[in-house]
Amino acid sequence: MTQQELIRRDRQVNWHPYTQMKSGTLLPIVKGEGTYLFDADGTRYIDAISSWWVTLHGHAHPYIARKVAEQLSTLEQVIFAGFTHPPAIELSERLLALLPDNQQKVFYTDNGSTAVEVALKMCIQYHHNQGVGKTKILAFHHGYHGDTFGAMSVSGRSAWTAPFMDFMFEVVFIDVPTKDNLPELKKAIDQHSAELACFVYEPLVQGAAGMRMHGAEELSELLAYCRAKEVLLVQDEIFVGFGRTGKLFAANHLRVAADVMCFSKGLTGGTMPLGLTTCSQKIYDAFYSDERSKSLFHGHSFTANPIACSAALASLDLLLSDSTQRNIQRICLQHQAFIQKTDAYANRLTARQCGTILAIEWKTEEATSYFNSIQAFLSNFFLDHHILVRPLGNVLYFVPPYCISEEDLDYIYDRVFDALNMTNA
Ligand SMILES: *Cc1c(COP(=O)(O)O)cnc(C)c1O
């Protein structure tokens, strides 16, 4: 099958995510190996964004493939209501041991958005089960928590949410914390604290908004304030978890442990869809009752799918290995060195980093926005150089799989400078 034929057939039948089908481009991929993706012509691309931030250890990793294959021929699926299985038990045990001590229970789903839905339901029903009427949610402007209605409701308002404005629930939005604005944010929280069920936030990096970053110290102070006001904390680590920030979890940068945490994306090393929501004993206990009506009435057909759990276990083995940990630290240092080299171009761009996440914001005549027209130029330029990127408007970012070589990363940085020269005004 040629590239052209795959494109033609796809166009006949498929509708792609976050894509204007009239103008969007399409690149068929037929094979993955490590850092690389291959098209039908055999052209090799560096996957510089871990295929939408999910791939941790590279594509088609043989160790994960073996573990998944073993599970596939042992137990592929079983209902998780009233039944359980070894991979889900082992994954929960291992994950909870790595998370802040207060995290005590795991609720499985099958993607990030639904992990957030569960977190919201846990918090709202936590209050409901105790006869407390707290129903509003606190969230950051520009946050992103998924595309289902609940997750979308607690995400920042934007072109993505505009058609659905009348269908979203009430959210109190605040800015991300800075050294200067904390008193203001605390005042906003005071104003609503009696009604706030929970605070949902992406810690340290607001990914989809354009890799916006804020400080761990300021966030910790904000979280401590919410805790004092009895606002439950829902930490969305769907993007930043599993090493992206340079530490195992964003939680490892923070002084305050959340009540509820959400994970997906890198959870299975990017191999299988899986999501999960963890919570403290306090949350769990509010549902633990002789009254059946106090149960959490939520579940998905593929909740805790055994194959997905086995992929997650294999990914954890790889993630915790010395070689992966060394790679993560090496990527952090390479990004740092690159940022220093961009200082000379401060009038053209700003670069920022959180661990292995590198963002380069291009200064253009148009404002910073998802719809900034330099996006198409950047995508095409990097694709022409066999690097897969997906800039968020004028924010070009790299979130590589941890197995990326020093040379491939340097090759990517060099192309950034080439692109700069191409756009030399
Ligand atoms: C991607 C993402 C989600 C949604 O996860 P999906 O699996 O795409 O539904 C939620 N929160 C954050 C921070 C994300 O980056």
Side-chain angles (χ1 to χ4, degrees):
M1 196 77 53
T2 65
Q3 285 292 97
Q4 281 320 310
E5 231 173 306
L6 290 168
I7 292 170
R8 185 188 57 76
R9 285 173 57 191
D10 183 279
R11 293 272 190 220
Q12 295 287 329
V13 291
N14 287 335
W15 190 348
H16 291 264
Y18 279 95
T19 303
Q20 174 45 260
M21 295 306 296
K22 186 165 181 185
S23 54
T25 57
L26 191 62
L27 178 64
I29 295 294
V30 298
K31 183 178 141 77
E33 190 182 340
T35 312
Y36 309 115
L37 293 166
F38 298 85
D39 69 15
D41 297 334
T43 305
R44 192 182 86 168
Y45 300 88
I46 297 174
D47 185 355
I49 58 163
S50 295
S51 285
W52 247 354
W53 323 348
V54 300
T55 308
L56 295 191
H57 312 293
H59 293 279
H61 196 290
Y63 178 72
I64 300 179
R66 178 159 60 81
K67 291 293 187 179
V68 164
E70 283 170 12
Q71 187 59 45
L72 189 54
S73 53
T74 306
L75 173 69
E76 85 301 345
Q77 166 71 355
V78 63
I79 175 175
F80 205 62
F83 297 83
T84 192
H85 53 77
I89 296 168
E90 196 190 337
L91 179 57
S92 299
E93 287 172 350
R94 289 186 61 188
L95 204 55
L96 289 174
L98 297 171
L99 292 176
D101 291 342
N102 72 333
Q103 297 301 296
Q104 293 290 323
K105 291 289 184 286
V106 178
F107 193 102
Y108 283 95
T109 53
D110 50 22
N111 65 71
S113 300
T114 53
V116 171
E117 299 288 340
V118 167
L120 295 173
K121 284 188 172 181
M122 277 181 181
C123 292
I124 294 168
Q125 193 178 340
Y126 166 85
H127 297 297
H128 176 88
N129 281 359
Q130 300 175 95
V132 175
K134 291 188 177 182
T135 53
K136 282 189 189 166
I137 316 285
L138 182 70
F140 283 142
H141 286 296
H142 308 294
Y144 178 77
H145 300 287
D147 290 341
T148 51
F149 267 90
M152 179 175 62
S153 289
V154 298
S155 300
R157 300 290 174 261
S158 70
W160 300 354
T161 58
F164 313 107
M165 280 303 279
D166 294 346
F167 300 87
M168 293 196 283
F169 43 77
E170 215 177 323
V171 178
V172 176
F173 286 107
I174 55 172
D175 288 331
V176 295
T178 63
K179 284 196 176 56
D180 307 319
N181 72 357
L182 273 162
E184 236 172 275
L185 301 186
K186 289 176 182 175
K187 220 181 286 169
I189 293 166
D190 285 343
Q191 233 169 42
H192 299 278
S193 62
E195 307 161 288
L196 289 174
C198 63
F199 173 36
V200 188
Y201 54 95
E202 289 167 276
L204 307 183
V205 185
Q206 294 183 291
M211 303 294 161
R212 292 163 171 248
M213 298 174 189
H214 55 268
E217 193 40 48
E218 292 81 5
L219 181 61
S220 290
E221 189 171 336
L222 185 66
L223 298 182
Y225 196 75
C226 288
R227 170 71 39 81
K229 296 284 168 176
E230 295 185 357
V231 179
L232 295 174
L233 303 174
V234 177
Q235 189 153 303
D236 179 347
E237 294 229 15
I238 290 165
F239 170 42
V240 294
F242 301 103
R244 290 294 180 201
T245 67
K247 299 192 181 188
L248 207 43
F249 300 104
N252 301 119
H253 299 266
L254 301 172
R255 275 189 285 112
V256 180
D259 300 281
V260 177
M261 300 177 77
C262 303
F263 301 93
S264 187
K265 291 210 164 99
L267 173 58
T268 62
T271 308
M272 305 278 300
L274 185 68
L276 60 82
T277 310
T278 64
C279 72
S280 64
Q281 192 67 36
K282 173 175 95 168
I283 304 283
Y284 180 78
D285 285 346
F287 293 76
Y288 194 85
S289 166
D290 292 324
E291 294 172 55
R292 286 189 63 198
S293 62
K294 289 197 170 171
S295 319
L296 181 54
F297 292 106
H298 190 104
H300 299 279
S301 311
F302 287 101
T303 294
N305 173 259
I307 306 168
C309 289
S310 70
L313 284 166
S315 176
L316 266 188
D317 289 342
L318 296 173
L319 182 63
L320 298 175
S321 72
D322 287 345
S323 69
T324 302
Q325 290 302 314
R326 267 197 310 273
N327 279 340
I328 288 174
Q329 296 318 314
R330 191 244 315 152
I331 294 168
C332 292
L333 291 174
Q334 277 191 271
H335 281 351
Q336 231 170 345
F338 165 78
I339 287 180
Q340 276 168 10
K341 282 202 257 173
T342 64
D343 283 350
Y345 299 88
N347 58 333
R348 307 280 310 285
L349 52 75
T350 54
R352 54 183 177 263
Q353 170 193 14
C354 179
T356 70
I357 304 163
L358 173 66
I360 301 148
E361 188 165 326
W362 297 66
K363 294 183 180 170
T364 62
E365 279 174 19
E366 292 168 61
T368 287
S369 144
Y370 182 73
F371 298 101
N372 190 299
S373 57
I374 201 170
Q375 196 267 352
F377 164 77
L378 291 172
S379 301
N380 293 330
F381 178 84
F382 279 88
L383 208 55
D384 287 347
H385 291 89
H386 300 159
I387 300 167
L388 196 153
V389 295
R390 191 180 161 85
L392 292 152
N394 54 317
V395 179
L396 173 70
Y397 67 85
F398 302 113
V399 179
Y402 304 142
C403 61
I404 193 168
S405 70
E406 192 173 339
E407 295 73 25
D408 280 344
L409 212 41
D410 283 337
Y411 172 79
I412 292 171
Y413 301 142
D414 287 344
R415 300 295 80 73
V416 174
F417 293 114
D418 289 351
L420 254 177
N421 292 328
M422 294 272 298
T423 55
N424 212 339

